[in-house]
Amino acid sequence: MAVLLYDGVQLLDVAGPVDAFTTANKHGGRYVLKTASLTGGAVHTCAGVVLEPDCTVAELPRDIGTLIVPGAPDWRPAILDRSLRQALTELATSARRTAAVCAGAFPLAATGLLNGRRAATHWELAPHLAHRFPKINVDAESIFVRDGAFYTSAGVTSGIDLTLALIEEDLGADAARAVARQLVVFLARPGGQSQFSVRAQVRHPRTPALRALLDHVTANPAVDHTLDSLARYAGVSPRHFTRLFRAETGTSPARFVEQVRLEAACNLLVTGTDSLDTVARHAGFGSPETMRRVFQRELGVTPGAYRARFSTTAASSHQRLASTTP
């Protein structure tokens, strides 16, 4: 596999996929990684870190299995660089598959190879991609998208999600989960893959009683958190509590409770083997059907499918892992 380097790239767009593929070699992979720039000279990342490529683009083998195109926060120079566009066109045309991370969708789009295809990029950049390249069906919601031999991902760390999907495609789900566990990312993107912790995501309340309440709900998702019981815990009337909660946290009490329960259910599903009925009860949903509806609405998957994808159960030592051609 090859990573195309050019000045201004996001460091994590390079390092994330490279680390994930390298880790996969401990779990059955046979990836041979090469980094390349147009001239073989060093490139400066947007963080100021200088990367020394392994070779020039011309020295890359013609049978690239995976081409990684990292993005640059300032994507304009990349799409205007004729030499970069030409090199990328040749590489992407001959590669088995091409994966653009974050703003890497822009130089790839400039080749015309994404025309008529669905593509993702950072949510903040999606309107720019759609305006600049109107022949592309821009997906501003997905963490990553596959359309034929072309893969594109959302912002920065989503390059790791995309790489895990490629590893799973090559080596199977067990290997991908093993890599995710080793990188400590398997719980960071529950289902919908937006990295969050519900308690940390809401605004920090000024009122001490509300801060204590948030901790109480987070620690006890299975409790029957009605509006009246929450208001009593905070020591105010239900009407005042609703206004105060939204003003200081930016969300509603019901929404916060549901998100806490969803997060709890995700953790229970991937760290244990309890039945869906037990998980639903311990997470506070009451019934598997209620839990399923929330999972479908919020994450787009069923609880069972979520468990199958993100389970931390160790792969059987008898499981044969396929190898991949670099």
Side-chain angles (χ1 to χ4, degrees), residues 106-119:
F106 283 85
L108 184 58
T111 68
L113 293 173
L114 292 181
N115 287 349
R117 297 183 182 276
R118 182 166 158 252

Side-chain angles (χ1 to χ4, degrees), residues 19 22-27 164 175-186:
D19 268 351
T22 300
T23 303
N25 284 342
K26 302 176 184 178
H27 301 281
L164 288 172
R177 282 194 290 268
V179 172
R181 288 197 302 273
Q182 191 159 349
L183 296 179
V184 197
V185 295
F186 70 98

